Amino acid sequence: MKYEVVMGLEIHVELATETKLFCACSAKFGAEANQNVCPACAGMPGMPAVLNKRAVELGIAAAIVTNSEITRPMTFDKKNYFYPDLPAGYQITQFFAPICRNGWVDIGDKRITLKQIHIEEDAGKLVHDGRTGTTLVDFNRASVPLVEIVSNPDFRSADEVIAYLEKLRSLLSFAGVSDCKMQEGSMRCDVNISVREAGSDKLGTRTEIKNMNSLKAITAAIDYEARRHIDALEDGGGGLVQETRRWDDKLGETFAMREKENAVDYRYFPNPELMPVVISDEWIEAVRAGLPETAHDKFERMTERLGMPEYDAKIITGSKNLSDIFDRACAHFNKPKEVANWIIVELLSIAKGDNKGEDDIVIDCEKFAKLMELVDSQAINRNVGKKLLVKVLEGIDPAAYVEDNKLGMISDAGVIEKAVREVLAENMKSVAEYKSGNQKVTGFLIGRIMRKLDGKADPKAVGALLAEHLSRD
């Protein structure tokens, strides 16, 4: 029998605000445990919630880039459940009138439709200590503003899920809604999955896989859960119940957490402390006017106006951070193709060696531009420039470092000539091989000459002079 996998996604995205949703505590990632906590976000009685206007504006931006219909007015509600990381015993969210509904995101030729996007506060974080058998609670994340993006069950494969997540990450990060760093938890995915007979229009028993934070894990979890459902259906379907499950990356399996709650279980009711928010046309247009260039628009600008290869433009626009580095560097060194080449070939190579992702690269773009200018003007050669890039990432000024360490290009023809003659005299066997037709030894000889010159000569000039000597010796 053939089966069809049916999936819908709930994507939690932390908004890029300086402060939390209902208090003035910092919303930034990376603080010490429980450093960014006050009586309000710790759920103390009598602390009023004061809405962060910037969070609403970022919610409007999310609505715009996902082609959604903004609700007039939107309201906030209380979602009641008990969990140790939810200090107030309820979560402030939007149930009856979320910020927007009925959006869509295209992935290739397929349109993924959205049920709604709503703004809500995040919960804290539980830290399980297997060594002591205890669980600690960090409330830094409590009340950090989120949008939850709820799709309809339009997905039929893990490939579609990944394409959607990548598209959504691009839309939201370029719009400044969120940095969408899955490794830091600012973008998390819940997968609702069921399996049915191919051709049927009846949905099967649904399970939810919670808090997935890497594309690789999401793909593996979908594959595992789909197989588990199919195996259960082959056995009569008795082993399937509607429930929430967690993914264990080490074991490569999902495990039951709790039976899946329905809306009625949360006892939603309007939050009396927060008045309805009326979002005017003028406010929407002001947010729209302030949106930065999209990844798609930047790709077209790079390929059509700047004449860059599509391959380079795709890599640069695949990451908001790389895109920003490209723009800032070009502002100081206006050679876009060369800037892209340095980013793709050199900067990403260093990041990969340091086990960093594209979004983790931090560099002073003015100093980066100075480095490229030094190479472009032949003040230093590219090999020196590559090594110097590591220093630039550490914060040094490239021009001063070159001067202090005497790394400038050797342009004295006599010095280069002397090095060529010495290397030829020291490697007569390689010269003989060249005379016998082995052209590959020129690379070896150039390397020896460059080593003798401390890598500070122009390799092209060295190669030309070497070829001249080999042709007449």
Side-chain angles (χ1 to χ4, degrees):
M1 183 180 296
K2 291 186 177 180
Y3 294 95
E4 179 181 51
V5 179
V6 180
M7 290 173 287
L9 302 185
E10 298 170 12
I11 311 298
H12 294 81
V13 177
E14 289 187 358
L15 299 176
T17 58
E18 293 293 327
T19 56
K20 293 185 178 182
L21 188 54
F22 300 116
C23 67
C25 289
S26 172
K28 295 301 180 182
F29 176 83
E32 294 293 324
N34 295 307
Q35 179 179 333
N36 299 328
V37 184
C38 72
C41 56
M44 297 298 176
M47 298 303 298
V50 180
L51 180 60
N52 185 336
K53 181 181 178 182
R54 180 59 180 159
V56 178
E57 291 175 342
L58 293 177
I60 295 171
I64 292 171
V65 299
T66 57
N67 311 289
S68 299
E69 301 168 5
I70 293 176
T71 306
R72 326 284 186 90
M74 70 171 193
T75 60
F76 285 92
D77 311 291
K78 290 187 177 183
K79 176 181 179 180
N80 297 273
Y81 66 95
F82 174 77
Y83 213 62
D85 58 8
L86 193 68
Y90 61 83
Q91 179 187 34
I92 301 177
T93 183
Q94 295 182 310
F95 181 72
F96 298 105
I99 189 169
C100 62
R101 298 184 174 96
N102 303 324
W104 49 266
V105 173
D106 286 338
I107 52 169
D109 297 329
K110 182 166 185 174
R111 176 158 293 181
I112 303 300
T113 59
L114 306 182
K115 178 184 178 183
Q116 68 181 51
I117 299 177
H118 55 266
I119 300 172
E120 65 185 18
E121 61 178 345
D122 205 347
K125 180 181 179 182
L126 297 180
V127 181
H128 305 289
D129 189 337
R131 180 175 51 84
T132 61
T134 59
T135 296
L136 307 176
V137 188
D138 180 3
F139 288 118
N140 279 343
R141 205 170 65 186
S143 201
V144 167
L146 301 172
V147 286
E148 181 175 347
I149 304 168
V150 183
S151 81
N152 290 309
D154 293 342
F155 301 94
R156 298 295 179 268
S157 70
D159 288 343
E160 289 181 356
V161 169
I162 299 306
Y164 169 76
L165 288 169
E166 290 177 337
K167 180 66 174 290
L168 201 59
R169 182 166 59 184
S170 173
L171 290 170
L172 298 175
S173 62
F174 273 79
V177 172
S178 172
D179 61 23
C180 294
K181 292 182 178 179
M182 297 189 80
Q183 70 276 17
E184 293 183 2
S186 58
M187 185 177 187
R188 309 189 295 274
C189 176
D190 298 343
V191 180
N192 290 285
I193 182 170
S194 64
V195 175
R196 65 187 177 190
E197 293 182 22
S200 172
D201 59 359
K202 183 180 179 181
L203 293 174
T205 302
R206 173 171 57 96
T207 58
E208 181 182 25
I209 314 170
K210 291 287 288 185
N211 289 330
M212 308 292 292
N213 62 3
S214 82
L215 300 182
K216 182 179 178 182
I218 290 167
T219 300
I222 289 171
D223 290 343
Y224 173 85
E225 193 65 7
R227 289 196 307 273
R228 190 181 72 85
H229 278 237
I230 291 171
D231 289 344
L233 291 172
E234 294 285 356
D235 288 339
L240 290 178
V241 294
Q242 183 172 316
E243 63 185 354
T244 298
R245 299 178 70 86
R246 67 175 179 85
W247 170 251
D248 189 307
D249 213 21
K250 292 181 180 178
L251 296 177
E253 299 178 18
T254 64
F255 294 90
M257 294 172 62
R258 59 183 181 270
E259 288 189 8
K260 176 62 179 171
E261 301 91 344
N262 292 307
V264 67
D265 298 316
Y266 290 122
R267 307 187 315 280
Y268 287 98
F269 64 86
N271 189 327
E273 300 168 358
L274 292 164
M275 294 298 99
V277 178
V278 178
I279 301 175
S280 65
D281 290 338
E282 292 77 14
W283 196 4
I284 295 171
E285 290 311 309
V287 172
R288 190 190 306 275
L291 288 177
E293 186 178 37
T294 67
H296 176 74
D297 291 341
K298 179 163 288 187
F299 180 88
E300 288 192 343
R301 174 169 64 87
M302 292 174 72
T303 54
E304 295 177 11
R305 285 174 45 196
L306 301 180
M308 293 175 57
E310 288 190 2
Y311 174 82
D312 291 3
K314 185 176 181 180
I315 292 176
I316 296 296
T317 59
S319 161
K320 176 65 163 55
N321 190 42
L322 290 187
S323 176
D324 288 343
I325 290 171
F326 173 81
D327 284 342
R328 292 197 298 265
C330 283
H332 298 287
F333 180 65
N334 192 22
K335 292 192 174 182
K337 292 182 182 179
E338 190 66 14
V339 173
N341 185 264
W342 272 92
I343 291 173
I344 294 168
V345 178
E346 311 301 346
L347 197 56
L348 286 180
S349 177
I350 294 172
K352 184 177 180 181
D354 292 340
N355 292 317
K356 289 183 177 179
E358 297 166 347
D359 294 335
D360 300 319
I361 299 172
V362 178
I363 189 169
D364 184 317
C365 291
E366 186 173 356
K367 292 177 180 177
F368 186 28
K370 282 184 183 179
L371 167 62
M372 291 183 282
E373 177 62 38
L374 288 170
V375 175
D376 190 65
S377 65
Q378 296 191 330
I380 59 174
N381 66 34
R382 193 176 180 97
N383 287 332
V384 171
K386 291 178 183 179
K387 296 174 182 176
L388 194 53
L389 182 55
V390 177
K391 297 293 184 182
V392 171
L393 284 163
E394 295 172 357
I396 65 100
D397 179 271
Y401 191 85
V402 166
E403 183 176 353
D404 293 343
N405 292 274
K406 298 180 173 55
L407 297 176
M409 185 92 80
I410 295 174
S411 56
D412 189 323
V415 174
I416 298 174
E417 172 86 19
K418 181 174 180 289
V420 170
R421 288 186 177 278
E422 288 177 356
V423 167
L424 290 175
E426 293 165 0
N427 295 274
M428 296 304 296
K429 182 179 178 181
S430 295
V431 173
E433 289 181 22
Y434 177 85
K435 298 291 187 181
S436 299
N438 184 2
Q439 304 287 318
K440 293 182 180 179
V441 298
T442 56
F444 167 76
L445 293 170
I446 289 173
R448 291 288 178 173
I449 297 165
M450 291 298 294
R451 184 184 298 179
K452 194 172 284 285
L453 296 168
D454 295 325
K456 294 186 288 186
D458 180 1
K460 290 183 179 179
V462 169
L465 189 56
L466 175 65
E468 181 183 332
H469 274 271
L470 288 172
S471 64
R472 68 171 185 246
D473 289 348

